[in-house]
Amino acid sequence: MSEAMIASSEQSLNPDRERRQKLELNKLQKRLRREVGQAIAEFSMIEAGDKVMCCLSGGKDSYAMLDILLNLQKSAPVSFELIAVNLDQKQPGFPEEVLPAYLESMGIEYHIIEKDTYSIVKEKVPEGKTTCGLCSRLRRGILYNFAVEHGVTKIALGHHRDDLLETLFLNMFYGGKLKSMPPVLHSDDGRNTVIRPLAFSREKDIARYAALREFPIIPCNLCGSQENLQRQVIKDMFQSWDKQHPGRLETMFRAMCNVEPSHLADTSLYDFREGRRLGGKRQAVQTAEPEEASSFGRLDVLNI
């Protein structure tokens, strides 16, 4: 077959491929819209007059979260405001032009916060150790302070259903606690309310949606940190289960939403003597202030 015939054949297939991709994109968008809408309604995430700060990292999850929230905002029964915020932590090689260009094309109000947490992490964390823990605590503390200063009522993070399940198993396997990331978390001091609109959404749906929408993804390997091996073990286990036992992850997540304190063994949740439920433990916020970070002010860190 000549090159001309091959080229002609490929051109004839392109419209069909584009049509299939468009249909897939529409289907995924409807599913994610429905799931985000369900999460917002079920957990009262967004209310009339809210100012919602979407925290963007440049990854697929936060891009998808912002995209779906912008889409829902157009038809929502209540009026709320959306702003996008990214923290430029001054990692070497960070493509600082990518997010501003994308957000300007979307026509949304955005803020880029520049704080050199990279230097603090490199100084504090020994060579060869994972930097993600300290890095994320510093990042969140700065973002939460920014939210207070700018009248933000809700802080939206891009954690999805798989993140919630992974965290549950990480805490069980390595922390001896039965806890995960809640869809909504109010800080003890009343300063911040965190919401996770993607709480009902699957990571594989988000990944495919991001690919079809062609978001300008920024990889999370710029600082050279090691991958969280414990979380990767859980991820691999879930992927195996999802292939071998379809529906298992969905059932596991339903279990997270259907807890029976009387059939566990936590005496702070259930009074086994009197046979009644109790308030339980509540520890939402910790404070972390590295010695060299005094210029950042108080760092309120979610205990997740």
Side-chain angles (χ1 to χ4, degrees):
M1 184 181 292
S2 67
E3 293 184 3
M5 293 177 65
I6 293 174
S8 176
S9 176
E10 289 178 349
Q11 288 178 359
S12 65
L13 290 176
N14 282 339
D16 288 338
R17 183 168 61 247
E18 291 176 1
R19 181 177 59 84
R20 288 195 300 270
Q21 288 183 346
K22 186 174 180 180
L23 288 173
E24 184 183 5
L25 176 61
N26 289 337
K27 182 178 179 181
L28 276 174
Q29 186 179 65
K30 288 179 181 178
R31 180 184 300 165
L32 291 172
R33 271 177 53 102
R34 181 179 68 252
E35 291 167 348
V36 171
Q38 179 186 356
I40 289 173
E42 189 160 329
F43 298 104
S44 302
M45 289 186 181
I46 298 177
E47 300 169 301
D50 269 339
K51 184 175 184 178
V52 181
M53 182 176 95
C54 294
C55 298
L56 294 187
S57 65
K60 68 182 188 314
D61 305 326
S62 56
Y63 273 124
M65 176 185 68
L66 175 62
D67 191 79
I68 296 299
L69 285 178
L70 283 169
N71 194 285
L72 285 173
Q73 187 185 36
K74 299 174 184 177
S75 57
V78 298
S79 176
F80 62 93
E81 183 180 352
L82 284 174
I83 65 170
V85 175
N86 168 257
L87 175 59
D88 180 355
Q89 298 176 267
K90 299 304 177 185
Q91 296 104 324
F94 181 77
E96 58 185 24
E97 73 285 351
V98 170
L99 276 169
Y102 173 78
L103 293 169
E104 285 177 12
S105 72
M106 297 294 290
I108 184 176
E109 177 187 342
Y110 71 92
H111 302 266
I112 307 295
I113 308 169
E114 297 186 9
K115 294 287 187 181
D116 186 7
T117 63
Y118 176 82
S119 298
I120 294 176
V121 170
K122 284 300 181 182
E123 180 179 345
K124 289 289 185 183
V125 179
E127 190 69 27
K129 296 293 184 180
T130 302
T131 60
C132 298
L134 177 58
C135 180
S136 63
R137 289 195 296 271
L138 289 171
R139 179 173 65 247
R140 290 182 184 181
I142 294 166
L143 289 170
Y144 297 163
N145 283 338
F146 178 91
V148 172
E149 294 164 2
H150 289 77
V152 168
T153 57
K154 303 288 173 60
I155 301 170
L157 302 181
H159 297 123
H160 44 67
R161 187 205 68 180
D162 297 58
D163 286 324
L164 272 60
L165 282 172
E166 289 165 14
T167 303
L168 174 69
F169 275 69
L170 280 168
N171 279 316
M172 285 196 298
F173 289 175
Y174 303 107
K177 293 182 179 180
L178 193 63
K179 80 171 191 177
S180 179
M181 299 175 177
V184 176
L185 182 59
H186 305 282
S187 64
D188 283 339
D189 58 11
R191 296 173 80 235
N192 304 115
T193 298
V194 173
I195 63 174
R196 296 182 168 94
L198 297 176
F200 289 160
S201 302
R202 303 184 299 179
E203 182 175 19
K204 60 185 179 183
D205 289 340
I206 295 169
R208 183 57 181 158
Y209 183 73
L212 291 170
R213 291 282 284 116
E214 299 182 337
F215 295 136
I217 304 298
I218 300 174
C220 187
N221 59 2
L222 298 170
C223 58
S225 62
Q226 302 165 327
E227 190 167 15
N228 185 326
L229 297 181
Q230 292 176 340
R231 185 172 287 274
Q232 189 58 44
V233 168
I234 303 297
K235 278 182 175 291
D236 293 342
M237 182 178 71
F238 282 2
Q239 288 175 2
S240 175
W241 284 353
D242 199 31
K243 291 178 181 178
Q244 298 178 18
H245 308 282
R248 174 174 289 185
L249 298 185
E250 285 73 14
T251 302
M252 287 162 49
F253 186 74
R254 285 201 301 273
M256 283 182 58
C257 303
N258 187 24
V259 178
E260 290 287 350
S262 63
H263 286 61
L264 296 174
D266 190 336
T267 55
S268 70
L269 286 176
Y270 195 82
D271 185 339
F272 292 92
R273 185 187 186 92
E274 300 293 333
R276 60 186 179 87
R277 295 189 181 196
L278 303 174
K281 306 180 184 74
R282 186 168 187 269
Q283 185 181 0
V285 172
Q286 291 180 330
T287 299
E289 289 185 284
E291 295 175 3
E292 291 79 7
S294 58
S295 61
F296 294 155
R298 179 181 174 192
L299 303 183
D300 289 320
V301 182
L302 291 186
N303 178 25
I304 61 171

